[in-house]
Amino acid sequence: MATLLSVTLSSCDRDLLETFPNDRLSESLFWHNENDAKLAANALYADLDGVNIISWDALTDIAHTNQNFDVQAYIELGSYDATSSKIYTEWANAYKGIRATSYFLANVDKVTTANTALINQLKGEAKVLRAYQYIKLAGLFGDVPLITTPLSIEEGRSLTRTPVSQIWDFVDQELSEAAPLLPLTYAAADKGRVTRGAALGLLARANLWAGRYQKAANAADQVIKLGVYGLYESYEKLFSYAAENNREVLLDNQFIKDTYPNTVFQTLAPYSQKNGGSSYVPTKVLADLYETSTGKRITDSQSGYNPTQPYVNRDNRLKYSLYLEGDILPSGAVFKPQPTSGTSDAIGSTYIASTTGFNIKKYINTEDYANPANSGINIILLRYAEVLLTYAEAKIELNQLDAEVLTAINTVRNGRGDVKQPSITSTSQAELREIVRRERAVELAFEGQRLFDIRRWKIADKVVPGPVYGITYVSANGSLTTVQVVAVNKVFDVNRHYLWPIPQKEIDLNNSLVQNPGW
């Protein structure tokens, strides 16, 4: 009996040692059925960008990193190098997404199913999500390692950088192959998944950034002709909960309060709003880019612009994108940023209050006021207005100045119920180039496009450097005073800042990676 008990206990001990980890699934238990494939594809969306896209605009002329001790502030000042944690984080997050999608594509065919259409759709989603990361990496760093399969640690130590032209080739091929695998729309339960329109819209973006204008125009035209997309009727409400999943959105990162929240309210809101962070704030440069309601620049003597009432009779997108003096805040209070206002939003009242006197209004919703760190608002990554402007810009650069160019631009300018700027009629390539660039700045402000735009246009070294200015107000002595942010002088070195440095951590781990020029 004792011997039998001993053998039994020994057998039990061996069974106890043969356990599965309780924090993950073994591959032997996964990749069996359609549900496994769909769950794995769902997980890929977590690597999409979110609130961080807004931070990119603060590295340009239209916004500013509000706290000077923020790691990103050093990039504005030009006093950063390859050890910057901001730069490493963007690199690491992108390659995390690439690894996840590559792993999915290497394993999804293990699933046994007759539903090949579903598997092909999921493959298409993964290809688009991987291409999204490569578009960003190419825009930020230029040549980067092209990885399409899961790598071992040792393989990762010998990677080299792939010429950026080949990255663009890969992205073009991936998105072109993915588009026909994807549906035009999804049922309500699957809203937010990658569609054919998202694939083609990203294809247009990628080719525009690469300077491949005919391909960009063709891809944008395909999106237009799908007949699925259009502008949302209200620019003011476009970034609200009520507008989620509207027909203008091609791609977004979908969040859920309590379950999968973001911190956009806490990050951007004025300080008076439950200690809002004002982490990134608009500048005077952006405010001045919005035309008057007559369609003229404020520098035009015929515009009717009144500097003592700077926000009256302006393009409505200004007041829908920026918190301006007198606006009603989510708390019900009035926004009063002037230094002498005595409010917690007054410039200089605290180091957290906006140093320019402007705050970002997009994505700031009353529903999030009670719990600012628990926002469920979706962050838009690609929308139809961008596609229209991409189409127009590509055709302008090709000097294909037909009626469709003007239609695309004017749809953005006056195709909504609450945005009615006068139509553009110019047929001059130089004038249209300036117009479409300004439209991109004001229409897509705080949506992560400006940094890539001014770098590909090669104007960053002209528009970024210099002091940062904010609101203009009537001071106590009756004179007009323009706020200048203290001790900030933005720097953009033409010899090296058009590309970020490859993170030093990556070079330390792999000496086959060659650093970008000037770093």
Side-chain angles (χ1 to χ4, degrees):
M1 184 68 177
T3 302
L4 178 60
L5 182 59
S6 175
V7 170
T8 302
L9 288 174
S10 177
S11 175
C12 288
D13 287 344
R14 285 197 298 273
D15 291 341
L16 288 171
L17 292 173
E18 294 172 359
T19 61
F20 292 106
N22 59 15
D23 63 342
R24 73 205 73 168
L25 282 174
S26 167
E27 284 194 26
S28 64
L29 300 177
F30 203 71
W31 303 114
H32 286 174
N33 54 50
E34 292 177 15
N35 192 52
D36 289 346
K38 196 165 184 178
L39 287 173
N42 291 349
L44 303 178
Y45 287 83
D47 293 312
L48 280 172
D49 288 311
V51 180
N52 65 305
I53 68 171
I54 301 163
S55 72
W56 303 337
D57 277 16
L59 300 176
T60 74
D61 52 338
I62 67 169
H64 168 57
T65 304
N66 201 44
Q67 281 85 47
N68 59 12
F69 51 80
D70 188 307
V71 65
Q72 177 165 299
Y74 297 104
I75 299 179
E76 280 194 72
L77 299 175
S79 57
Y80 67 105
D81 57 25
T83 65
S84 167
S85 61
K86 168 70 174 180
I87 288 171
Y88 175 74
T89 297
E90 295 289 358
W91 172 286
N93 287 347
Y95 274 108
K96 178 176 176 287
I98 289 167
R99 177 175 176 81
T101 49
S102 297
Y103 176 79
F104 174 88
L105 290 165
N107 286 279
V108 70
D109 284 331
K110 294 176 182 177
V111 170
T112 303
T113 178
N115 192 353
T116 55
L118 173 63
I119 299 303
N120 285 335
Q121 172 202 309
L122 297 177
K123 287 180 179 178
E125 292 178 45
K127 284 175 174 284
V128 172
L129 294 173
R130 183 167 63 181
Y132 173 90
Q133 302 292 358
Y134 274 117
I135 293 170
K136 177 177 62 177
L137 285 168
L140 292 174
F141 298 97
D143 302 350
V144 293
L146 178 59
I147 304 167
T148 59
T149 59
L151 300 179
S152 67
I153 292 176
E154 287 308 310
E155 288 172 325
R157 293 183 190 278
S158 58
L159 289 171
T160 58
R161 297 173 66 186
T162 302
V164 70
S165 61
Q166 294 179 34
I167 300 295
W168 294 130
D169 290 342
F170 173 76
V171 167
D172 184 274
Q173 180 178 337
E174 285 282 277
L175 293 173
S176 298
E177 291 177 355
L181 302 177
L182 296 164
L184 292 177
T185 59
Y186 290 95
D190 280 322
K191 287 291 184 184
R193 304 191 81 87
V194 171
T195 60
R196 188 179 308 167
L200 294 172
L202 287 174
L203 183 63
R205 176 189 287 180
N207 280 298
L208 185 74
W209 289 12
R212 301 174 179 184
Y213 297 120
Q214 191 60 62
K215 285 191 170 187
N218 292 345
D221 189 48
Q222 288 184 70
V223 176
I224 294 168
K225 289 178 177 175
L226 289 177
V228 174
Y229 301 100
L231 298 186
Y232 186 62
E233 61 267 22
S234 169
Y235 193 90
E236 180 183 15
K237 303 298 183 185
L238 180 57
F239 303 90
S240 70
Y241 284 95
E244 288 190 331
N245 299 311
N246 74 76
R247 66 196 296 257
E248 184 166 348
V249 178
L250 278 74
L251 180 67
D252 60 7
N253 193 343
Q254 303 227 334
F255 294 90
I256 305 172
K257 283 179 181 287
D258 301 322
T259 303
Y260 181 58
N262 65 57
T263 60
V264 69
F265 189 104
Q266 183 182 59
T267 300
L268 300 181
Y271 181 63
S272 65
Q273 304 304 287
K274 295 281 188 77
N275 295 334
S278 301
S279 297
Y280 314 111
V281 295
T283 65
K284 175 178 168 59
V285 167
L286 176 62
D288 288 354
L289 281 176
Y290 292 90
E291 299 170 344
T292 63
S293 56
T294 60
K296 298 183 183 297
R297 299 296 306 277
I298 65 171
T299 52
D300 188 327
S301 61
Q302 303 301 311
S303 68
Y305 173 71
N306 181 354
T308 65
Q309 294 181 301
Y311 315 125
V312 175
N313 297 323
R314 300 287 296 278
D315 179 343
N316 280 344
R317 288 174 292 184
L318 170 59
K319 67 181 181 181
Y320 297 150
S321 301
L322 282 67
Y323 273 113
L324 306 170
E325 175 78 28
D327 281 351
I328 303 301
L329 296 163
S331 65
V334 177
F335 183 58
K336 296 181 178 180
Q338 294 185 16
T340 57
S341 71
T343 70
S344 55
D345 291 323
I347 296 169
S349 63
T350 168
Y351 69 92
I352 299 177
S354 172
T355 51
T356 65
F358 297 116
N359 273 91
I360 296 174
K361 186 179 285 187
K362 287 182 179 179
Y363 294 115
I364 304 303
N365 290 287
T366 303
E367 294 93 327
D368 293 329
Y369 176 71
N371 193 348
N374 186 27
S375 175
I377 190 70
N378 298 338
I379 303 297
I380 300 171
L381 302 175
L382 175 64
R383 58 185 177 92
Y384 189 60
E386 180 191 336
V387 174
L388 291 174
L389 293 174
T390 293
Y391 179 74
E393 182 183 343
K395 297 262 286 184
I396 291 166
E397 293 304 323
L398 292 165
N399 206 24
Q400 298 175 6
L401 307 181
D402 53 27
E404 292 178 338
V405 171
L406 295 180
T407 297
I409 295 173
N410 289 326
T411 299
V412 174
R413 286 175 61 83
N414 52 44
R416 306 178 195 272
D418 57 4
V419 176
K420 295 295 179 184
Q421 287 302 102
S423 291
I424 299 298
T425 59
S426 174
T427 56
S428 160
Q429 185 186 38
E431 288 179 2
L432 287 171
R433 179 182 289 126
E434 180 184 351
I435 288 166
V436 79
R437 290 183 177 186
R438 187 168 64 251
E439 281 297 316
R440 285 186 67 90
V442 299
E443 173 71 22
L444 304 175
F446 320 124
E447 296 179 50
Q449 294 300 298
R450 183 66 173 173
L451 178 64
F452 300 97
D453 283 350
I454 62 175
R455 287 166 72 163
R456 64 187 176 83
W457 294 333
K458 293 293 185 278
I459 64 170
D461 60 294
K462 300 176 181 64
V463 301
V464 171
V468 173
Y469 296 100
I471 61 172
T472 298
Y473 65 98
V474 179
S475 64
N477 63 8
S479 63
L480 283 176
T481 301
T482 297
V483 168
Q484 179 176 343
V485 179
V486 177
V488 173
N489 195 68
K490 291 197 178 195
V491 173
F492 194 99
D493 185 342
V494 68
N495 295 312
R496 63 176 185 166
H497 289 161
Y498 274 101
L499 291 174
W500 277 357
I502 304 303
Q504 190 61 44
K505 285 185 180 180
E506 298 298 321
I507 293 177
D508 290 343
L509 292 169
N510 175 13
N511 56 21
S512 296
L513 290 177
V514 178
Q515 186 55 275
N516 270 325
W519 296 102

